[in-house]
Amino acid sequence: MKKLLAAIAATVLSLSSAFAQSVPSPTIAAKSWLLLDATSNQVLASNEPDMRIEPASLTKLMTAYVAFTAIQDKKLDLNQMITISTNAWKVDPSSSKMFIEPRVPVKVNDLLYGLIVQSGNDAAVAIAEAVAGTEDAFVALMNREAERMGMKSTHFANPHGLPSASNYSTARDLSVLASHLINDHPEFYKIYSTKEYTYNNIKQPNRNRLLWLDPTVDGMKTGYTQGAGYCLISTAKRPNGTGERRLISVVLGTISDQARAQESQKLLNWGFLNFDTVKLYAKNEPIATPNVWKGTQNTVKIGFTRDVYVTVPKGVANSMKPVLARKDPLVAPIDKNSQVGTIKVMSADGKVVSELPVLALEQVGQAGLFGRALDSIRLWVH
């Protein structure tokens, strides 16, 4: 099932992104960048999205994801006290830290805020050791999650993002990670909108300037090393019809702290101004009930196991036309969630906006010997 959902997401991404490119892309002053509509899972625009880059502190998104999963699985508790190791305390003293001290216990909750808001490299190591015992064991978990998410051009070498030749990613992969973090751990995502945090009597601001400049921005993470340049993954949620839509921008390798904020804001504004996201179908809502042959029932409900959205240029939504192609004849047995057809969403000028697998929403068993024989005759005549 997970593989099927991943295939559906990939299909939407690859087909509809080409359609989105009919709107001229903005000029973004960065080495690599990408804008993802997280509601429809469509890439709206990108430049060098598969360029291998040094992710710097953007690495901490995966560190947080693994920690959130450990808390969700009850392997770690927010109120649990963690004794800080010398290894965590002595991490590069010239880098960003939350200023934890060796052998002084710290709450897991404080470590998370230190990791996310203060971008503490010491917090990253402390969390890694709390979850997996050692940094190396934790890094193995990070890479396992990256593989599961389909981050094919990513490898993590440490939990903090300090320079390493074997710590690398791409704008495309980082957008996938950001989307997973938001969708899989919404209960923790609010931490990313926290503007400042105090630990050990030291108050530090969140380095994401957009949290102050744009009230619709609620995350996500900055990164900087000399090799990476100034990087920012930012995300905003704004009104969309009767609901809301979320965009995620990944801007990598700008020349300054100010530039990464400006270019990210430009990219987000471009996406919201030029596109609409439309809900096509609701989760588990039948879009048709075609006939079934040789089954314990005569029809089957077909549709989607998730809400289906598509993002299109402004003014195009009303002209879209869905075309259903079924795998007829549908012969039992039919497994629930198996693919039974395809929906192609066409624009007015005949372009394919998206193409989605249509699934059986219910199980249909095989009829008895007499029923199967009767339908065999009917099929032959049909």
Side-chain angles (χ1 to χ4, degrees):
M1 184 63 183
K2 286 183 178 179
K3 288 183 178 179
L4 178 60
L5 291 176
I8 292 172
T11 303
V12 178
L13 196 71
S14 60
L15 289 171
S16 52
S17 62
F19 182 74
Q21 292 299 335
S22 61
V23 178
S25 296
T27 300
I28 303 296
K31 292 178 182 177
S32 171
W33 57 267
L34 179 146
L35 181 65
L36 175 72
D37 188 309
T39 305
S40 64
N41 199 42
Q42 288 176 226
V43 174
L44 303 185
S46 64
N47 182 62
E48 299 288 357
D50 300 310
M51 174 191 291
R52 179 181 289 192
I53 57 92
E54 181 185 328
S57 282
L58 302 181
T59 300
K60 295 186 178 87
L61 291 178
M62 182 59 86
T63 303
Y65 187 95
V66 174
F68 295 157
T69 301
I71 294 167
Q72 187 179 60
D73 294 343
K74 302 191 183 305
K75 296 176 181 177
L76 205 63
D77 186 88
L78 285 173
N79 294 315
Q80 184 177 339
M81 301 299 290
I82 303 300
T83 300
I84 304 304
S85 70
T86 302
N87 184 50
W89 168 75
K90 72 177 183 180
V91 68
D92 187 352
S94 65
S95 67
S96 57
K97 303 183 77 171
M98 73 174 287
F99 300 103
I100 49 182
E101 298 177 359
R103 296 178 297 281
V104 176
V106 181
K107 268 188 183 182
V108 167
N109 189 64
D110 285 324
L111 290 173
L112 289 175
Y113 276 85
L115 175 80
I116 294 165
V117 182
Q118 301 178 325
S119 199
N121 294 324
D122 49 357
V125 176
I127 287 171
E129 293 176 340
V131 171
T134 66
E135 281 189 78
D136 287 346
F138 186 83
V139 168
L141 295 177
M142 294 172 72
N143 285 313
R144 188 183 307 166
E145 287 292 350
E147 182 179 2
R148 182 185 66 81
M149 292 178 191
M151 297 171 65
K152 297 178 181 179
S153 301
T154 295
H155 185 271
F156 295 110
N158 56 57
H160 38 62
L162 288 170
S164 167
S166 54
N167 199 68
Y168 54 82
S169 190
T170 66
R172 192 184 305 279
D173 279 2
L174 289 169
S175 74
V176 171
L177 171 56
S179 184
H180 269 282
L181 196 152
I182 293 167
N183 293 326
D184 297 350
H185 296 293
E187 70 277 23
F188 296 113
Y189 179 66
K190 63 183 180 180
I191 301 174
Y192 286 92
S193 62
T194 304
K195 293 181 177 179
E196 59 186 21
Y197 194 68
T198 301
Y199 177 78
N200 204 9
N201 295 318
I202 302 170
K203 181 189 290 186
Q204 296 188 64
N206 193 317
R207 294 171 176 82
N208 182 0
R209 292 183 180 219
L210 293 186
L211 292 175
W212 283 267
L213 299 174
D214 184 342
T216 70
V217 170
D218 58 4
M220 196 164 196
K221 188 72 188 75
T222 61
Y224 170 77
T225 62
Q226 188 173 4
Y230 290 86
C231 307
L232 173 60
I233 297 178
S234 57
T235 177
K237 197 163 58 170
R238 297 184 190 176
N240 180 67
T242 57
E244 292 180 310
R245 62 189 282 232
R246 178 181 291 281
L247 299 185
I248 298 172
S249 73
V250 182
V251 174
L252 309 173
T254 68
I255 61 172
S256 68
D257 176 14
Q258 183 178 8
R260 70 184 172 191
Q262 288 177 340
E263 299 307 293
S264 297
Q265 183 76 82
K266 184 195 302 184
L267 193 52
L268 289 171
N269 287 343
W270 176 85
F272 282 115
L273 287 171
N274 287 283
F275 296 89
D276 289 318
T277 299
V278 182
K279 186 175 181 178
L280 294 181
Y281 302 105
K283 176 181 178 180
N284 295 328
E285 179 182 288
I287 64 170
T289 52
N291 291 331
V292 174
W293 303 85
K294 302 184 182 183
T296 53
Q297 60 193 60
N298 294 326
T299 60
V300 60
K301 295 175 182 177
I302 64 174
F304 303 93
T305 54
R306 62 182 181 91
D307 291 338
V308 176
Y309 293 86
V310 64
T311 301
V312 294
K314 292 279 187 182
V316 169
N318 290 336
S319 64
M320 292 188 304
K321 179 183 177 182
V323 178
L324 172 62
R326 294 199 306 265
K327 293 181 176 179
D328 287 339
L330 296 178
V331 180
I334 298 173
D335 291 332
K336 186 177 181 179
N337 297 329
S338 61
Q339 185 176 346
V340 293
T342 303
I343 281 277
K344 285 186 179 181
V345 182
M346 313 296 292
S347 64
D349 57 359
K351 291 181 180 177
V352 178
V353 179
S354 65
E355 184 173 341
L356 296 162
V358 178
L359 311 178
L361 298 178
E362 55 187 335
Q363 187 90 14
V364 180
Q366 196 173 54
L369 182 61
F370 178 76
R372 296 201 306 274
L374 183 60
D375 273 359
S376 292
I377 296 170
R378 292 171 62 200
L379 272 171
W380 181 74
V381 173
H382 180 78

